Amino acid sequence: MTNNTNATQTAATAATTASEAHAHTPLGRIDFAKAAPKAFKALIGFDAAARDGLDPALVELIQIRASLLNGCAYCLHMHTSDARKAGEDEARLHMIGVWREARNFFTAKEQAALALTEAVTLVSRGGVPDDVYAEAARHFDESELARVLALIFTINTWNRIALSTAKVAGEDERVAH
């Protein structure tokens, strides 16, 4: 009986210690860049091609809005920091999540991009409505619109990588790579 009690206590202590350790670590999540370097490099290339020729401020607005919708704190912190470094107005950053109620902070072109970002990011909730697509097409030529769409695709992919691998907001791994 004593051996069983000791074994049970030891197992309980080990489980508690393990769960406490896991509370502070991402449960052995992979480092995607190291585990799938070809896929990671391909995504970096796709991302670079998507943003090529687009206004850097617009790029950050799109990435911030998608990251907000996806609940990706890692990417949200990264892109709001990038936007600030690029000189983005602090008030606009605060209004991205409520841009429809704060339209005066954004150009018609930015609003069209934000609406398209929402529709593509939340595509399972009803697709991309024709009116949203048409409004974006009014503000972007075909090549720009394709790159805006590609940018929306890439930030959604980056958000899913960060969320799946438990990236920690405030840590910018781009510096390490």
Side-chain angles (χ1 to χ4, degrees):
M1 194 78 141
T2 304
N3 287 343
N4 284 345
T5 302
N6 288 341
T8 302
Q9 288 173 340
T10 301
T13 302
T16 301
T17 303
S19 70
E20 288 170 357
H22 290 308
H24 304 289
T25 62
L27 298 173
R29 305 281 176 106
I30 63 168
D31 178 332
F32 184 80
K34 289 181 183 173
K38 286 182 182 178
F40 186 78
K41 287 179 184 173
L43 186 54
I44 289 172
F46 184 45
D47 187 89
R51 64 181 63 225
D52 186 42
L54 294 177
D55 175 16
L58 181 68
V59 168
E60 295 305 330
L61 292 177
I62 289 168
Q63 293 179 121
I64 291 166
R65 186 63 187 132
S67 298
L68 279 165
L69 292 168
N70 286 322
C72 184
Y74 178 82
C75 292
L76 182 60
H77 182 270
M78 179 185 301
H79 294 296
T80 54
S81 295
D82 287 351
R84 284 183 186 97
K85 288 175 192 170
E88 181 61 78
D89 183 64
E90 197 67 31
R92 281 171 36 102
L93 291 176
H94 291 291
M95 295 296 129
I96 294 170
V98 292
W99 68 270
R100 290 179 194 282
E101 291 78 29
R103 291 179 182 270
N104 57 309
F105 284 87
F106 305 98
T107 67
K109 186 174 187 173
E110 290 168 338
Q111 291 175 43
L114 290 168
L116 186 62
T117 299
E118 289 177 359
V120 173
T121 299
L122 304 173
V123 71
S124 69
R125 295 185 185 173
V128 177
D130 290 340
D131 62 325
V132 170
Y133 188 91
E135 184 64 16
R138 275 187 353 94
H139 293 282
F140 297 96
D141 68 30
E142 196 171 277
S143 175
E144 288 175 310
L145 183 56
R147 290 191 316 277
V148 166
L149 284 167
L151 181 67
I152 297 166
F153 304 155
T154 60
I155 188 56
N156 275 279
T157 301
W158 287 123
N159 289 164
R160 281 152 179 77
I161 290 169
L163 290 165
S164 299
T165 61
K167 295 293 182 200
V168 177
E171 295 178 3
D172 189 343
E173 294 182 358
R174 294 175 300 181
V175 178
H177 288 288

